[in-house]
Amino acid sequence: MKKLIQSFVPAALLAAGTLAAAAQDFPSKPITIVVPFAAGGPTDKVARDLAEALRKPLGTTVIVDNAAGAGGSIGANKVAKAPADGYTLLLHHIGMATMPTLVRNIPFKVESDFEYLGLVNDVPMTIIGKPGLPANNLKELREWLQKNKGRVNLGNAGVGSASHLCGMLFQHAMGVEMTAVPYKGTGPAMTDLMGGQIDLMCDQTTNTTGAIEAKKVKVFAVTTPHRLTVPALKDVPTMQELGVKDFNVTIFHGLYAPKGTPAPVLKKLNDALKAALKDPDFIKREEALGAVVVNDKRVEPAEHKKFVLSEINKWTPLIKAANIYVE
């Protein structure tokens, strides 16, 4: 037994030395950020902005890989099962808080299968409609919805997506049931909205600001308690301002690594993330899209995880009450 223990000691020391050396050399090759949604959507936009901002502090190329499907769980599972070496990361939004309830037979645990690296931004939502919609404000929209009960299509980026959740709250607030039209990502949903194939959508400013500015869609309200400062949205009223109380939906994005990633690697990734969040170009790009770059304690891993767990507690009863699931 003594010889057996002695044989294990050098092996353990060798393994520890190998990990330390790998962490010291990290990163020695490109890093991939997995986005669990289609290219062209709001989370994809954030990921590509972040990838560019991380390139300098990490000293390596950062690639974006889209792995869409099943409410964001396919991409998340890809990262959960990836080697824990820091080279495969996940950028996810509020789905990290809704997947545990939304996705049946989810193949991972949000609470324990990831290392939390820090939050990236907070993103408001906008209530938007097709260009030819006869309503020009929320009052007229409510009247139009009442007149067209059973004939209104409300698009979203897929079952369980941020736009789906916001859309459910919007239907409840308007007191009118609409036909939900799920797409495989926000990009195709926006294309059909601009083309008039669907009537309405509630989506993130990161995806809607450009279309609003170009007048390719009609905007009725933002979902934050206060008006936004973005030039294209500064004159858009809030839902609360228009008389819809407690309608506050903000989407967050966070960065994650597989569970078991070495602590020194996590430290380098978190330091790089903090540097990226202070990058003037990154801040400018996010603000132009209506997103607010995080500059509070949620950039710390422990606070990031604490926040996500609080969001799980917030959304779980709402999703259960709506009885919606992703297979």
Side-chain angles (χ1 to χ4, degrees), residues 87-104:
Y87 288 101
T88 304
L89 307 177
L90 172 70
L91 183 80
H92 211 321
H93 62 22
I94 195 172
M96 287 298 276
T98 59
M99 282 189 300
T101 312
L102 273 172
V103 182
R104 286 179 170 171

Side-chain angles (χ1 to χ4, degrees), residues 7-145:
S7 67
F8 278 136
V9 172
L13 291 174
L14 180 61
T18 301
L19 285 173
Q24 188 174 2
D25 294 338
F26 180 86
S28 60
K29 61 181 181 179
I31 292 172
T32 297
I33 294 178
V34 174
V35 175
F37 303 103
T43 303
D44 181 66
K45 285 184 173 68
V46 174
R48 293 180 190 280
D49 284 348
L50 183 63
E52 178 60 26
L54 285 171
R55 181 179 57 79
K56 186 175 180 180
L58 285 173
T60 191
T61 302
V62 182
I63 302 165
V64 173
D65 174 27
N66 297 90
S73 64
I74 289 177
N77 188 51
K78 183 175 183 178
V79 176
K81 302 297 189 292
D85 54 12
Y87 288 101
T88 304
L89 307 177
L90 172 70
L91 183 80
H92 211 321
H93 62 22
I94 195 172
M96 287 298 276
T98 59
M99 282 189 300
T101 312
L102 273 172
V103 182
R104 286 179 170 171
N105 302 316
I106 188 169
F108 56 84
K109 293 183 178 179
V110 168
E111 301 93 328
S112 58
D113 285 346
F114 298 92
E115 302 288 355
Y116 288 64
L117 293 170
L119 283 188
V120 176
N121 65 15
D122 290 310
V123 186
M125 307 283 280
T126 50
I127 305 297
I128 54 176
K130 64 183 180 182
L133 204 66
N136 293 304
N137 54 54
L138 193 66
K139 181 177 180 295
E140 292 180 2
L141 178 60
R142 192 193 294 265
E143 293 172 354
W144 181 80
L145 289 170

Side-chain angles (χ1 to χ4, degrees), residues 13-293:
L13 291 174
L14 180 61
T18 301
L19 285 173
Q24 188 174 2
D25 294 338
F26 180 86
S28 60
K29 61 181 181 179
I31 292 172
T32 297
I33 294 178
V34 174
V35 175
F37 303 103
T43 303
D44 181 66
K45 285 184 173 68
V46 174
R48 293 180 190 280
D49 284 348
L50 183 63
E52 178 60 26
L54 285 171
R55 181 179 57 79
K56 186 175 180 180
L58 285 173
T60 191
T61 302
V62 182
I63 302 165
V64 173
D65 174 27
N66 297 90
S73 64
I74 289 177
N77 188 51
K78 183 175 183 178
V79 176
K81 302 297 189 292
D85 54 12
Y87 288 101
T88 304
L89 307 177
L90 172 70
L91 183 80
H92 211 321
H93 62 22
I94 195 172
M96 287 298 276
T98 59
M99 282 189 300
T101 312
L102 273 172
V103 182
R104 286 179 170 171
N105 302 316
I106 188 169
F108 56 84
K109 293 183 178 179
V110 168
E111 301 93 328
S112 58
D113 285 346
F114 298 92
E115 302 288 355
Y116 288 64
L117 293 170
L119 283 188
V120 176
N121 65 15
D122 290 310
V123 186
M125 307 283 280
T126 50
I127 305 297
I128 54 176
K130 64 183 180 182
L133 204 66
N136 293 304
N137 54 54
L138 193 66
K139 181 177 180 295
E140 292 180 2
L141 178 60
R142 192 193 294 265
E143 293 172 354
W144 181 80
L145 289 170
Q146 292 291 340
K147 291 177 182 177
N148 290 275
K149 285 182 178 180
R151 292 179 289 175
V152 179
N153 294 322
L154 180 65
N156 63 61
V159 177
S161 65
S163 56
H164 183 201
L165 297 171
C166 183
M168 287 194 306
L169 293 178
F170 180 65
Q171 288 187 71
H172 178 73
M174 293 295 100
V176 177
E177 188 173 341
M178 308 172 206
T179 301
V181 183
Y183 287 80
K184 292 183 178 179
T186 305
M190 277 294 293
T191 298
D192 274 8
L193 182 70
M194 292 187 289
Q197 279 75 47
I198 54 175
D199 301 308
L200 295 165
M201 187 160 70
C202 177
D203 203 13
Q204 302 172 53
T205 55
T206 44
N207 194 55
T208 64
T209 302
I212 292 169
E213 195 169 25
K215 301 188 184 304
K216 292 182 178 180
V217 296
K218 284 190 172 184
V219 58
F220 297 97
V222 294
T223 65
T224 49
H226 307 286
R227 289 198 182 194
L228 304 178
T229 58
V230 183
L233 302 173
K234 63 183 179 63
D235 295 325
V236 180
T238 69
M239 290 290 283
Q240 293 192 46
E241 188 179 336
L242 295 171
V244 184
K245 294 182 179 180
D246 301 320
F247 197 100
N248 180 13
V249 183
T250 302
I251 306 305
F252 62 87
H253 288 89
L255 196 63
Y256 309 82
K259 185 68 177 178
T261 302
V265 171
L266 294 175
K267 177 69 165 56
K268 286 188 176 183
L269 288 169
N270 180 252
D271 287 345
L273 175 61
K274 289 176 181 176
L277 298 184
K278 293 178 181 178
D279 184 314
D281 289 335
F282 177 72
I283 294 173
K284 185 177 179 180
R285 286 195 294 270
E286 294 302 288
E287 288 181 343
L289 295 171
V292 180
V293 176

